[in-house]
Amino acid sequence: ILCCLVKPDIKTVYAREGIAVVGLAWVIVSLFGALPFWLSGEIPGYIDSLFEIVSGFTTTGSSILTDIEAMSMSNLFWRSFSHWIGGMGVLVFVLALLPQSESHSMFIMRSEVPGPVVGKLVAKTKITARILYAIYIAMTLVEIIMLIAGGMPVFDSVVHSFGTAGTGGFAIKSASIGYYNSAYIDIVIAVFMLLFAVNFNIYYLILIGDARRALRNEELRWYLIIVGASTAAIAINTLHLFGNFGEAVRFSLFQVASIISTTGYATTDFNLWPELSRVILVLLMFIGASAGSTGGGIKVVRVMVMFKTVLRQIKKLIYPRSAVILRIEGKAAGEGVMSGITAFAYAYFIQFALSVLLLSIDTFDPVANFTAVAACINNIGPGLGAVGPAGNFAGFSHLSKCVLIFNMLAGRLELFPIYALFSPSMWLKR
């Protein structure tokens, strides 16, 4: 109502306005979204309530709750539903429903959809948003049905499917998915975590009958190789903990899928795994999911480009007079894409270092502080040590929680839409 009282003279949305709309919308939605937890008294402090809902909307899954089972079903549903809305994007959902001009829609979508490059599947952004949500809803419903078929209660199936679809990871049991102790449920959720971490453009190409082009996607190949290699390495490294190779693969695949998709569900306390396995999981935290998916992290395509850039630089040193072209999907990478990835990398590591420094004011050990920031900026959920699968974030001070809240929001929006809110040029008249 307050927004409708103001009638601006200029209603055209350019890049600056699109960024401001996205950044402010996520902040305001989070401030209001915390109210059900706070007003119900189930989370007494507002900062804790805000931490929980920001973790929900940004699909992080980090929690301050020490007794999840004590929460009411309504609040359990709300925190998981926030994953589902935040996964595809709060404003992409609005774009799919409300009439907007094409310029309005595209600038908003570019600022909210994860990944270095955002394009339209079809000519109109509004139709693109509807296609994305149709795929998203269909996949969510299929997972709900499969979990119910596996014996999981209906309510549990719905909220865990919301968490999987949004790659968020809020569980309704302290033992997370490990509570159900079912190989079938583990496999279903692991597969869907991996599916939701794939670029949704791939599914659109398959739907229109262009499966060959979809399977040739370079980022998809890198993603599958990383998942396969990580699962094999961890399964071999943890074989002595599970007794047989089948069980080792089951638990390893689930945790690899959970971390690389940035979901954060757990079937076991991987904090107790050997050092090699834990280091692999930490590396997967940084890599994250594919661009254009519901997952977080740096994104596979950025890691791929960084790796190719290193190889390109080596070739240029060996052959200084040759023109070495960096290609993505067989096409030369544009200067805009390269500079964008470089700027993202600089901003990411500067913010990461400053956040770890601020968290060090608290009494937690360096491993907990480091992985807490990694879990929040990459929108994953659990870290290691005190913030591992068996722990939570309740022990951090209000200052540290505010730092982590900022990291969750910035990580979900790929840093710059949040940074732009603090830039004086954003608010100056043209």
Side-chain angles (χ1 to χ4, degrees), residues 138-421:
M139 290 174 66
T140 305
L141 289 174
V142 170
E143 184 183 359
I144 290 172
I145 293 168
M146 291 186 70
L147 289 178
I148 293 172
M152 184 181 282
V154 174
F155 179 79
D156 299 28
S157 299
V158 170
V159 294
H160 285 124
S161 295
F162 284 164
T164 306
T167 61
F170 272 152
I172 60 172
K173 305 293 182 183
S174 297
S176 191
I177 305 302
Y179 170 84
Y180 302 97
N181 194 26
S182 165
Y184 172 85
I185 289 173
D186 289 357
I187 292 169
V188 168
I189 292 179
V191 168
F192 274 94
M193 285 190 293
L194 292 172
L195 290 175
F196 280 108
V198 171
N199 191 323
F200 273 57
N201 288 10
I202 301 291
Y203 301 130
Y204 176 73
L205 290 173
I206 293 171
L207 286 175
I208 63 174
D210 200 354
R212 182 176 295 181
R213 182 182 164 195
L215 296 175
R216 285 202 307 262
N217 183 273
E218 192 174 5
E219 184 186 27
L220 178 63
R221 293 201 302 270
W222 276 66
Y223 172 71
L224 294 176
I225 289 169
I226 291 169
V227 169
S230 300
T231 301
I234 293 176
I236 294 169
N237 189 232
T238 58
L239 181 59
H240 65 284
L241 298 177
F242 298 109
N244 65 77
F245 192 67
E247 285 291 282
V249 170
R250 168 190 158 191
F251 285 100
S252 300
L253 176 63
F254 187 95
Q255 220 51 66
V256 166
S258 181
I259 297 300
I260 197 168
S261 68
T262 71
T263 305
Y265 283 141
T267 51
T268 185
D269 187 359
F270 57 80
N271 205 32
L272 303 176
W273 284 2
E275 199 69 27
L276 175 62
S277 298
R278 290 189 294 157
V279 168
I280 291 172
L281 292 178
V282 170
L283 292 176
L284 294 178
M285 287 182 184
F286 288 95
I287 295 171
S290 303
S293 70
T294 61
I298 292 175
K299 302 293 185 300
V300 173
V301 68
R302 285 197 181 98
V303 173
M304 180 179 78
V305 171
M306 290 175 188
F307 183 79
K308 287 187 174 185
T309 302
V310 172
L311 294 180
R312 176 172 174 260
Q313 190 61 33
I314 293 171
K315 287 181 181 179
K316 288 185 72 174
L317 287 173
I318 298 172
Y319 306 107
R321 294 185 180 181
S322 63
V324 184
I325 300 173
L326 194 152
R327 298 183 182 277
I328 304 174
E329 299 292 334
K331 299 177 182 178
E335 185 60 35
V337 174
M338 293 299 298
S339 61
I341 290 175
T342 302
F344 177 89
Y346 289 156
Y348 179 94
F349 289 111
I350 290 171
Q351 180 177 324
F352 194 98
L354 291 175
S355 298
V356 172
L357 186 64
L358 288 172
L359 257 66
S360 298
I361 297 172
D362 281 347
T363 56
F364 287 97
D365 61 87
V367 170
N369 290 332
F370 183 89
T371 56
V373 174
C376 289
I377 196 172
N378 295 314
N379 304 132
I380 292 166
L384 296 177
V387 294
N392 56 64
F393 290 71
F396 283 105
S397 66
H398 283 343
L399 171 63
S400 293
K401 286 172 184 172
C402 289
V403 170
L404 295 173
I405 286 170
F406 179 84
N407 275 278
M408 288 188 280
L409 285 169
R412 172 59 181 83
L413 296 179
E414 306 275 306
L415 306 183
F416 293 106
I418 291 295
Y419 290 174
L421 297 180

